[in-house]
Amino acid sequence: MNIGWNIETYLSLSSIAVSTVISVLIIRKNWRRYGALFLLSAIVGNILCYVFVKLNLYYFPYRLFPDVFIMPFTMILTMFPALVLFGVRYSPKTWPFKIPFYWVLVHLGVLIEVWAENQTQIIKYNSSWNVWVTYTWWWIFVLVFEWVGGIIVPPESRKPLDQELLRYGKIGWFILHFLLIGTIFIAGVYAGKTLLK
């Protein structure tokens, strides 16, 4: 086991802990349906990551179990399903509001990944992988599982955000736009640093 006094250990363990708590809190609402969605998204997330690593598109220099896995299996096992469960549970009912909701989730996820790629040894991209490819795959993953979640989880087990809060002039609208603009700006700074190295 690879645990030390470094940023990679702190980030790995805290992300596993936080995503596990989020998942457990949501699975409690309907353990069969959300549990099935958790398992399915965990399996697909790990398979995709394994394929991308085997294709040498990116790699993980730091892993909690470097002798067992070629990727951070435990992080992927908890983080991506937590994102899926959160999205399915709380995404608004209609697509004009669902898209901005997922837009913020994708931006936050990609921002964290880009920061980790630039500032830590958790993940490193190879020359054939970049932020746009990551961004695209994040969108594919969350939208496919929004659709799958709509099949698995019945409407009465979901708790969509009130769309009225997301309308222009409401607090949700300001929060969404602040997060979107902020993540675009910060991602631009990181992309600029990468290009100007």
Side-chain angles (χ1 to χ4, degrees), residues 89-93 101 159-166 176:
R89 173 89 173 143
Y90 296 108
S91 67
K93 287 183 180 178
F101 172 82
K159 190 176 181 182
L161 290 176
D162 182 3
Q163 293 179 173
E164 285 304 311
L165 293 174
L166 303 176
L176 281 178

Side-chain angles (χ1 to χ4, degrees), residues 11-30:
L11 288 174
S12 297
L13 295 177
S14 62
S15 64
I16 291 167
V18 169
S19 57
T20 299
V21 168
I22 290 168
S23 296
V24 167
L25 290 173
I26 294 173
I27 289 171
R28 285 181 17 193
K29 305 300 180 186
N30 185 333

Side-chain angles (χ1 to χ4, degrees), residues 42-135:
I43 290 166
V44 171
N46 272 292
I47 288 171
L48 279 174
C49 191
Y50 180 80
V51 168
F52 293 153
V53 170
K54 285 308 241 180
L55 290 173
N56 201 29
L57 299 173
Y58 53 74
Y59 60 99
F60 299 96
Y62 175 86
R63 299 177 306 279
L64 290 176
F65 304 99
D67 297 332
V68 181
F69 302 111
I70 62 171
M71 56 191 204
F73 174 79
T74 48
M75 284 176 65
I76 296 164
L77 182 69
T78 58
M79 288 176 53
F80 284 99
L83 176 75
V84 166
L85 295 182
F86 183 85
V88 169
R89 173 89 173 143
Y90 296 108
S91 67
K93 287 183 180 178
T94 62
W95 282 99
F97 296 97
K98 204 178 280 283
I99 291 295
F101 172 82
Y102 277 114
W103 200 0
V104 167
L105 290 183
V106 168
H107 274 225
L108 290 171
V110 170
L111 176 65
I112 291 166
E113 185 175 314
V114 169
W115 178 85
E117 202 271 335
N118 281 284
Q119 301 295 323
T120 74
Q121 293 298 309
I122 291 176
I123 185 170
K124 293 295 177 188
Y125 299 158
N126 287 324
S127 59
S128 54
W129 191 271
N130 59 43
V131 176
W132 287 112
V133 179
T134 290
Y135 187 73

